[in-house]
Amino acid sequence: MRTLVTGATGVVGTEVVDRLRADPGCPGSLTRVARRASDAAVTTWNIGSEPPPPDLSGHWDVIVHTAASTRWTMSRAEAEAANVDPLRAVLALADRDTHVVQVSTAYVGGVRAQEDLRGPEFEGYRNGYEWSKAACESVAREEHGGPLTIVRPPLIVGRRDDGRIARFSGPYTIIHALVSGLAAVVVGDPDGYAEISPVDDVAEAVASAVLASPPAPAAPRVEVIAGGVGSLRLSSMIEIACRTLNEFRAQHGAAPVEQPPFVPTNTWNRFFLPLADQYLSPFQHRAVQLLAMFQSYTSMSSPFEPTRTVHDPGAVLETAVRHWAARKPRLALARPNPWTLLAV
């Protein structure tokens, strides 16, 4: 079996490669592709911006497409260039017998509140990233004539057993903000659902798709990875993160960080945000804008309906925070800098 993995040095791609290599049931060759590769064993390809290297020609039994830009600040044109165009380039390598396993996001589904939306540019999605992943699913269904599996994970954190992850991104921004003092408040519904998944659960779903019999070409398989009704609530997410950080800080003689209060989204947007725009420093203002992007992802009114359930997400988050703190001790032990207002 000849298998190609794109984005092989990214958060999901790294874990997928490790999982497939560890499985004795994964026969044949495994080719890794990345846009930037320091390992000579990884093929360098700026997907969508240049032709594929010659060694990627020929029939592929499976193509696992994990490569993506996950920036929430992309315009529609940027998102199309970053995610939709690369998918089309990857599909050009596939034939009707190639099983394409495409990593999407759970947030193409679910419930979106009106205040989550960013105008007609993104057709009812929260941002350019989300819109582009929905567009990619449509492109794959319409343009790939062979078997297709779509894997939809939520926010991704480190491995369940040790918290290891290839890159700290996404929800780790919240952890950094809590310990730095930039998260003076948490905007959202404390009872809202906050879906997370350890990266190894995502890799397991992808590897299972690779090793299983492909679905019928006319009936793509969709895997949704989520906690469902057992997922964390926003209040639990913040409490666990602060408690775990403070355990680490106590072990190293640092004072605890305070858990910030919750502010409803409407109250924040109507009353506090205009003041923040006027009186916060430029750095604090950028932090507010960044954290605001998480509002609708960490206080959903309804959880996802999983096909693969994330069990005990609270323990997953604890392990992820401990690993982050151990790898980033200077940040984890820093003295929080409270918000200050600029003189006017």
Side-chain angles (χ1 to χ4, degrees):
M1 184 169 71
R2 190 169 180 240
T3 303
L4 173 68
V5 178
T6 70
T9 59
V11 167
V12 175
T14 297
E15 196 72 22
V16 167
V17 169
D18 289 348
R19 170 66 180 79
L20 289 174
R21 284 177 164 174
D23 197 310
C26 185
S29 64
L30 180 64
T31 299
R32 296 176 290 160
V33 167
R35 187 161 59 92
R36 289 188 295 269
S38 56
D39 186 343
V42 179
T43 299
T44 301
W45 180 25
N46 192 357
I47 307 175
S49 298
E50 58 188 31
D55 58 336
L56 299 186
S57 60
H59 169 69
W60 294 99
D61 296 290
V62 182
I63 295 177
V64 180
H65 184 47
T66 77
S69 172
T70 59
R71 288 189 300 113
W72 291 344
T73 56
M74 292 185 288
S75 67
R76 178 168 173 145
E78 289 171 334
E80 186 161 10
N83 291 330
V84 182
D85 291 348
L87 172 65
R88 284 198 164 100
V90 169
L91 292 179
L93 301 177
D95 56 42
R96 295 185 65 86
D97 294 322
T98 303
H99 180 194
V100 173
V101 181
Q102 178 186 348
V103 177
S104 183
T105 175
Y107 300 99
V108 302
V111 177
R112 286 177 286 274
Q114 187 61 39
E115 59 267 22
D116 296 339
L117 308 183
R118 298 294 183 265
E121 180 184 17
F122 300 130
E123 300 176 8
Y125 292 97
R126 293 177 180 88
N127 50 54
Y129 165 69
E130 207 173 274
W131 169 83
S132 69
K133 297 306 279 186
C136 283
E137 289 194 14
S138 296
V139 167
R141 291 173 187 271
E142 294 167 3
E143 300 185 12
H144 178 53
L148 172 66
T149 298
I150 295 170
V151 179
R152 295 176 174 175
L155 296 176
I156 298 174
V157 297
R159 281 182 173 180
R160 181 179 294 275
D161 58 349
D162 59 9
R164 187 165 71 86
I165 194 167
R167 188 175 301 115
F168 295 120
S169 58
Y172 291 93
T173 304
I174 300 176
I175 299 171
H176 184 196
L178 289 171
V179 79
S180 67
L182 287 174
V185 297
V186 176
V187 180
D189 178 7
D191 292 326
Y193 291 93
E195 292 273 19
I196 63 169
S197 171
V199 68
D200 47 327
D201 280 18
V202 181
E204 178 62 33
V206 173
S208 295
V210 171
L211 300 173
S213 298
R221 180 187 299 134
V222 177
E223 295 279 13
V224 179
I225 306 163
V229 294
S231 69
L232 290 173
R233 304 296 182 114
L234 177 58
S235 57
S236 298
M237 182 184 198
I238 299 301
E239 187 276 326
I240 290 170
C242 288
R243 171 168 49 81
T244 308
L245 285 169
N246 284 335
E247 289 172 358
F248 180 84
R249 291 172 68 86
Q251 292 168 3
H252 294 81
V257 296
E258 295 185 8
Q259 181 173 320
F262 293 94
V263 174
T265 301
N266 285 341
T267 302
W268 173 259
N269 289 337
R270 290 183 181 182
F271 300 107
F272 291 100
L273 189 56
L275 292 175
D277 288 342
Q278 281 186 276
Y279 298 116
L280 291 182
S281 70
F283 178 76
Q284 291 168 330
H285 188 260
R286 286 194 297 271
V288 167
Q289 290 178 316
L290 180 61
L291 291 173
M293 297 177 188
F294 286 94
Q295 292 173 14
S296 61
Y297 291 98
T298 55
S299 55
M300 299 187 300
S301 60
S302 301
F304 297 123
E305 295 185 9
T307 61
R308 288 177 170 265
T309 302
V310 176
H311 298 289
D312 200 357
V316 168
L317 181 61
E318 286 183 17
T319 303
V321 174
R322 288 195 192 99
H323 178 72
W324 177 87
R327 291 290 304 274
K328 302 283 187 179
R330 184 180 62 81
L331 296 177
L333 298 174
R335 176 182 295 179
N337 292 317
W339 283 16
T340 55
L341 297 180
L342 293 176
V344 291

Short mmCIF file of all heavy atoms in Angstrom, two decimals, residues 196-224:
data_model
loop_
_atom_site.label_atom_id
_atom_site.label_comp_id
_atom_site.label_asym_id
_atom_site.label_seq_id
_atom_site.Cartn_x
_atom_site.Cartn_y
_atom_site.Cartn_z
N ILE A 196 -12.97 19.81 23.15
CA ILE A 196 -11.55 19.60 22.87
C ILE A 196 -11.33 18.12 22.59
O ILE A 196 -12.15 17.27 22.93
CB ILE A 196 -10.65 20.03 24.05
CG1 ILE A 196 -10.93 19.18 25.30
CG2 ILE A 196 -10.80 21.51 24.34
CD1 ILE A 196 -9.92 19.37 26.41
N SER A 197 -10.20 17.83 21.95
CA SER A 197 -9.80 16.44 21.71
C SER A 197 -8.29 16.34 21.84
O SER A 197 -7.57 17.22 21.37
CB SER A 197 -10.22 15.98 20.32
OG SER A 197 -9.65 14.71 20.02
N PRO A 198 -7.79 15.26 22.46
CA PRO A 198 -6.35 15.03 22.42
C PRO A 198 -5.94 14.66 21.01
O PRO A 198 -6.69 14.03 20.26
CB PRO A 198 -6.14 13.87 23.40
CG PRO A 198 -7.44 13.15 23.40
CD PRO A 198 -8.50 14.20 23.19
N VAL A 199 -4.74 15.05 20.63
CA VAL A 199 -4.30 14.84 19.26
C VAL A 199 -4.21 13.36 18.90
O VAL A 199 -4.41 12.98 17.74
CB VAL A 199 -2.94 15.55 19.02
CG1 VAL A 199 -1.82 14.90 19.80
CG2 VAL A 199 -2.62 15.61 17.54
N ASP A 200 -3.97 12.50 19.89
CA ASP A 200 -3.89 11.07 19.57
C ASP A 200 -5.26 10.48 19.25
O ASP A 200 -5.35 9.51 18.49
CB ASP A 200 -3.19 10.28 20.67
CG ASP A 200 -3.68 10.60 22.07
OD1 ASP A 200 -4.07 11.75 22.32
OD2 ASP A 200 -3.66 9.70 22.93
N ASP A 201 -6.34 11.05 19.80
CA ASP A 201 -7.67 10.60 19.39
C ASP A 201 -7.93 10.95 17.92
O ASP A 201 -8.54 10.17 17.18
CB ASP A 201 -8.75 11.26 20.25
CG ASP A 201 -8.92 10.58 21.62
OD1 ASP A 201 -8.01 9.84 22.03
OD2 ASP A 201 -9.96 10.81 22.26
N VAL A 202 -7.45 12.12 17.51
CA VAL A 202 -7.60 12.53 16.11
C VAL A 202 -6.79 11.59 15.21
O VAL A 202 -7.28 11.11 14.18
CB VAL A 202 -7.16 13.99 15.91
CG1 VAL A 202 -7.35 14.41 14.45
CG2 VAL A 202 -7.93 14.92 16.83
N ALA A 203 -5.55 11.33 15.61
CA ALA A 203 -4.69 10.45 14.81
C ALA A 203 -5.26 9.04 14.73
O ALA A 203 -5.15 8.37 13.70
CB ALA A 203 -3.28 10.42 15.41
N GLU A 204 -5.88 8.58 15.81
CA GLU A 204 -6.48 7.25 15.80
C GLU A 204 -7.62 7.18 14.79
O GLU A 204 -7.77 6.19 14.06
CB GLU A 204 -7.00 6.90 17.20
CG GLU A 204 -7.69 5.55 17.30
CD GLU A 204 -6.78 4.38 16.96
OE1 GLU A 204 -5.57 4.46 17.23
OE2 GLU A 204 -7.30 3.39 16.40
N ALA A 205 -8.43 8.24 14.73
CA ALA A 205 -9.53 8.27 13.76
C ALA A 205 -8.99 8.25 12.33
O ALA A 205 -9.52 7.55 11.45
CB ALA A 205 -10.39 9.50 13.98
N VAL A 206 -7.93 9.01 12.08
CA VAL A 206 -7.34 9.05 10.74
C VAL A 206 -6.71 7.71 10.39
O VAL A 206 -6.92 7.17 9.30
CB VAL A 206 -6.30 10.18 10.65
CG1 VAL A 206 -5.56 10.12 9.32
CG2 VAL A 206 -6.97 11.54 10.82
N ALA A 207 -5.90 7.15 11.32
CA ALA A 207 -5.24 5.88 11.05
C ALA A 207 -6.26 4.76 10.84
O ALA A 207 -6.07 3.90 9.97
CB ALA A 207 -4.29 5.54 12.20
N SER A 208 -7.33 4.78 11.60
CA SER A 208 -8.37 3.76 11.42
C SER A 208 -8.98 3.85 10.04
O SER A 208 -9.28 2.82 9.41
CB SER A 208 -9.46 3.92 12.49
OG SER A 208 -8.94 3.67 13.78
N ALA A 209 -9.15 5.08 9.54
CA ALA A 209 -9.69 5.25 8.19
C ALA A 209 -8.71 4.72 7.15
O ALA A 209 -9.12 4.09 6.16
CB ALA A 209 -9.99 6.73 7.93
N VAL A 210 -7.43 4.96 7.37
CA VAL A 210 -6.41 4.49 6.43
C VAL A 210 -6.40 2.97 6.36
O VAL A 210 -6.30 2.37 5.27
CB VAL A 210 -5.02 5.03 6.84
CG1 VAL A 210 -3.92 4.36 6.01
CG2 VAL A 210 -4.96 6.54 6.68
N LEU A 211 -6.50 2.32 7.53
CA LEU A 211 -6.35 0.87 7.59
C LEU A 211 -7.63 0.11 7.32
O LEU A 211 -7.59 -1.10 7.07
CB LEU A 211 -5.80 0.49 8.97
CG LEU A 211 -4.43 1.10 9.32
CD1 LEU A 211 -4.06 0.80 10.76
CD2 LEU A 211 -3.36 0.59 8.37
N ALA A 212 -8.77 0.79 7.39
CA ALA A 212 -10.05 0.12 7.17
C ALA A 212 -10.35 0.00 5.68
O ALA A 212 -9.71 0.64 4.84
CB ALA A 212 -11.17 0.90 7.86
N SER A 213 -11.36 -0.78 5.37
CA SER A 213 -11.81 -0.85 3.99
C SER A 213 -12.38 0.51 3.59
O SER A 213 -13.15 1.11 4.35
CB SER A 213 -12.90 -1.92 3.84
OG SER A 213 -12.38 -3.20 4.16
N PRO A 214 -12.03 1.02 2.42
CA PRO A 214 -12.52 2.35 2.02
C PRO A 214 -14.04 2.36 1.87
O PRO A 214 -14.64 1.33 1.54
CB PRO A 214 -11.83 2.59 0.66
CG PRO A 214 -10.71 1.63 0.62
CD PRO A 214 -11.13 0.44 1.43
N PRO A 215 -14.67 3.50 2.11
CA PRO A 215 -16.11 3.59 1.87
C PRO A 215 -16.41 3.56 0.38
O PRO A 215 -15.53 3.78 -0.46
CB PRO A 215 -16.47 4.95 2.49
CG PRO A 215 -15.22 5.75 2.39
CD PRO A 215 -14.10 4.78 2.58
N ALA A 216 -17.65 3.33 0.05
CA ALA A 216 -18.06 3.38 -1.35
C ALA A 216 -17.89 4.81 -1.87
O ALA A 216 -18.16 5.77 -1.14
CB ALA A 216 -19.51 2.94 -1.49
N PRO A 217 -17.43 4.97 -3.12
CA PRO A 217 -17.22 6.33 -3.66
C PRO A 217 -18.44 7.23 -3.56
O PRO A 217 -18.30 8.44 -3.37
CB PRO A 217 -16.84 6.06 -5.11
CG PRO A 217 -16.22 4.70 -5.08
CD PRO A 217 -17.00 3.94 -4.06
N ALA A 218 -19.61 6.66 -3.65
CA ALA A 218 -20.82 7.48 -3.63
C ALA A 218 -21.32 7.76 -2.21
O ALA A 218 -22.31 8.46 -2.02
CB ALA A 218 -21.93 6.78 -4.42
N ALA A 219 -20.62 7.22 -1.20
CA ALA A 219 -21.07 7.38 0.19
C ALA A 219 -19.89 7.73 1.09
O ALA A 219 -19.38 6.88 1.81
CB ALA A 219 -21.76 6.10 0.67
N PRO A 220 -19.41 8.98 1.01
CA PRO A 220 -18.28 9.38 1.86
C PRO A 220 -18.57 9.15 3.34
O PRO A 220 -19.71 9.30 3.80
CB PRO A 220 -18.14 10.88 1.56
CG PRO A 220 -18.76 11.07 0.21
CD PRO A 220 -19.88 10.08 0.16
N ARG A 221 -17.54 8.77 4.07
CA ARG A 221 -17.65 8.54 5.51
C ARG A 221 -17.25 9.81 6.25
O ARG A 221 -16.25 10.45 5.89
CB ARG A 221 -16.75 7.37 5.90
CG ARG A 221 -16.78 7.01 7.39
CD ARG A 221 -15.72 5.95 7.70
NE ARG A 221 -15.95 4.73 6.95
CZ ARG A 221 -15.00 4.07 6.30
NH1 ARG A 221 -13.76 4.53 6.27
NH2 ARG A 221 -15.29 2.95 5.65
N VAL A 222 -18.00 10.21 7.27
CA VAL A 222 -17.68 11.39 8.08
C VAL A 222 -17.50 10.96 9.53
O VAL A 222 -18.40 10.35 10.11
CB VAL A 222 -18.77 12.47 7.99
CG1 VAL A 222 -18.43 13.66 8.88
CG2 VAL A 222 -18.94 12.93 6.54
N GLU A 223 -16.34 11.26 10.10
CA GLU A 223 -16.04 10.97 11.50
C GLU A 223 -15.99 12.28 12.27
O GLU A 223 -15.21 13.18 11.92
CB GLU A 223 -14.71 10.25 11.63
CG GLU A 223 -14.66 8.87 11.00
CD GLU A 223 -15.29 7.79 11.89
OE1 GLU A 223 -15.97 8.16 12.87
OE2 GLU A 223 -15.09 6.60 11.59
N VAL A 224 -16.81 12.41 13.31
CA VAL A 224 -16.82 13.60 14.16
C VAL A 224 -16.24 13.21 15.51
O VAL A 224 -16.78 12.34 16.20
CB VAL A 224 -18.25 14.16 14.33
CG1 VAL A 224 -18.22 15.38 15.25
CG2 VAL A 224 -18.85 14.51 12.98
#
